[in-house]
Amino acid sequence: DAKTTQPNSMESNEEEPVHLPCNHSTISGTDYIHWYRQLPSQGPEYVIHGLTSNVNNRMASLAIAEDRKSSTLILHRATLRDAAVYYCILSRNYGGSQGNLIFGKGTKLSVKP
Amino acid sequence: NAGVTQTPKFRVLKTGQSMTLLCAQDMNHEYMYWYRQDPGMGLRLIHYSVGEGTTAKGEVPDGYNVSRLKKQNFLLGLESAAPSQTSVYFCASQPLAGTSTDTQYFGPGTRLTVL
C-alpha cells in the first residue's frame, strides 16, 4: 500500500492560515488523496479529497503537487475548534474493493488563542 | 438523520468475558467497517462488510467476530476478551467503495477496557 508521511505535530495561532503537508512519493495514478481529522474524543470526520486538481470546500482547500507526490491541506483561518489530529490518507479506486482507509499517526494541530 | 451510532459508549470487561458492540447507520450505506484505535495510534481495520449478509477480515481480525444480518447494523463480537483488546472502537459506513467519493462516516466510538 502507498504510504504517507506527515509531521507529528504543528502549531498555529488562531485566525491565521495553516498549511499541513503530506508526502506520498509512492502514490499511484488511481490513488485519491483524502484528508480526515479527529477532534479530541471523537471519531474521524471527512475534510476533503482530490485526485489531481486543487480542491476547495467550506472546510478547507487541498493543494496537490503537479507530480502528485505531495499535497497540502490549507485551513484559511484556524479556529480553536480546528485543533485536532489531521490524517492524510490514500485510497484506491478499485471497483468493488473493500475501499478501506489506511490511517497513519497523522499531524496533531494545536491552535493558540 | 442520526448518521452512525454506536452502543455502548463505554464498557469495562474482565478477561474472558464476552460482549457485542452494535453499530447502526441510517444512511442506507452499503459498506460498513470496524476499526480500533490504540493510544497515540491511527485506526486499524478489524473487519468490514460490503453488504448485507457479507463480512470480511481486515488488518487485525483475531479475537473478533462480526455479523451483518441487516443492512443498517454491523455487530462486533468479542468471544473471550483479553487485555490486549483494550482500545477505542470506531464504526464507519460508506455509500459504496470503488467510486470517486470514498467518504466514510464515523461513529463516536466505544471505549472498552479489559481488566
Side-chain angles (χ1 to χ4, degrees):
Chain A
D1 290 315
K3 302 246 184 269
T4 63
T5 303
Q6 299 178 252
N8 289 333
S9 62
M10 291 184 65
E11 278 191 354
S12 173
N13 294 317
E14 196 176 12
E15 298 190 1
E16 289 186 356
V18 182
H19 291 234
L20 296 163
C22 181
N23 287 320
H24 28 78
S25 58
T26 59
I27 192 170
S28 73
T30 56
D31 283 334
Y32 281 78
I33 302 160
H34 295 253
W35 284 82
Y36 282 73
R37 72 178 185 181
Q38 187 173 19
L39 301 172
S41 300
Q42 295 189 26
E45 64 175 347
Y46 168 81
V47 177
I48 200 167
H49 78 284
L51 183 61
T52 56
S53 303
N54 294 345
V55 184
N56 300 297
N57 67 20
R58 63 174 180 81
M59 289 181 72
S61 296
L62 176 60
I64 301 172
E66 196 168 334
D67 63 5
R68 301 210 327 124
K69 295 187 176 184
S70 65
S71 62
T72 302
L73 179 70
I74 303 166
L75 306 179
H76 296 286
R77 288 185 65 196
T79 68
L80 296 178
R81 196 194 171 278
D82 291 323
V85 177
Y86 287 78
Y87 298 98
C88 169
I89 302 167
L90 304 181
S91 70
R92 296 274 155 89
N93 185 17
Y94 305 141
S97 76
Q98 65 188 63
N100 70 297
L101 302 172
I102 300 174
F103 287 80
K105 294 185 180 181
T107 297
K108 184 174 183 179
L109 176 67
S110 302
V111 180
K112 296 183 290 184
Chain B
N1 212 357
V4 180
T5 58
Q6 293 184 233
T7 309
K9 289 185 170 51
F10 303 94
R11 186 72 185 268
V12 178
L13 290 179
K14 294 181 179 178
T15 297
Q17 286 185 319
S18 63
M19 78 163 294
T20 300
L21 283 67
L22 171 63
C23 175
Q25 53 95 2
D26 60 1
M27 298 174 283
N28 201 35
H29 286 173
E30 292 292 334
Y31 281 59
M32 295 187 74
Y33 304 85
W34 275 108
Y35 294 90
R36 62 176 286 174
Q37 184 174 36
D38 299 322
M41 305 291 288
L43 281 70
R44 291 184 294 169
L45 183 67
I46 305 171
H47 285 280
Y48 66 99
S49 168
V50 302
E52 182 179 319
T54 72
T55 63
K57 294 180 180 180
E59 179 188 357
V60 289
D62 294 340
Y64 305 95
N65 56 75
V66 287
S67 64
R68 182 113 181 258
L69 299 179
K70 294 183 179 180
K71 186 177 183 179
Q72 63 267 35
N73 295 336
F74 195 28
L75 279 63
L76 178 71
L78 286 73
E79 290 186 347
S80 179
S84 61
Q85 294 177 304
T86 293
S87 190
V88 181
Y89 292 84
F90 290 100
C91 176
S93 71
Q94 184 172 298
L96 191 67
T99 68
S100 62
T101 309
D102 290 302
T103 301
Q104 292 191 9
Y105 298 81
F106 286 81
T110 294
R111 186 174 297 274
L112 175 65
T113 301
V114 183
L115 302 175

